[in-house]
Amino acid sequence: MGPASSARLSVEHAVLRAAEPFTATFTLGVTGAPADLEQFAYGAFITAKPLAGGPDRVIARATGLLATGSPVIRIEADGLAPGAYRLDGAVSLREPGTDRPIDVAAPAESLMVQVIG
């Protein structure tokens, strides 16, 4: 059995300004990773779905390396039009320099944000 992961998505403010990029943060909980592993390679994405209806769209993607002792990923997200949105995201982890997955973090719990004009 591989590691068990969880991801929590947050933004600095629940009310955002229209068309202004913002920073979203994934805080990961990873257990059961190999003890000698000092860092993970990661891929992360965030989608936004208008609560008034409409399709999800990807507003942020990131890849990089993450120290196992500090599992926090900050991602710059595109600005959104005014309205209320549900943000969702997920993170996949793998051994650096390989395609060997360590784990796919459980999708982050949805986060509601309001964008004002």
Side-chain angles (χ1 to χ4, degrees):
M1 183 80 126
S5 297
S6 63
R8 187 172 60 84
L9 179 62
S10 62
V11 294
E12 203 169 291
H13 305 285
V15 177
L16 305 171
R17 294 213 171 273
E20 287 187 9
F22 61 95
T23 302
T25 302
F26 281 106
T27 304
L28 304 178
V30 181
T31 59
D36 62 343
L37 195 61
E38 293 182 9
Q39 59 185 6
F40 301 112
Y42 70 84
F45 71 91
I46 299 170
T47 61
K49 180 169 182 65
L51 294 183
D56 288 3
R57 81 175 174 100
V58 176
I59 59 168
R61 290 183 196 274
T63 58
L65 295 174
L66 177 67
T68 56
S70 180
V72 174
I73 301 168
R74 287 182 180 75
I75 301 176
E76 289 300 314
D78 295 340
L80 297 164
Y85 294 85
R86 184 186 80 211
L87 302 183
D88 292 297
V91 179
S92 63
L93 303 174
R94 65 186 189 287
E95 289 184 29
T98 74
D99 288 333
R100 187 175 323 129
I102 293 173
D103 199 17
V104 176
E109 186 173 319
S110 295
L111 176 68
M112 303 302 172
V113 295
Q114 182 71 38
V115 180
I116 58 173

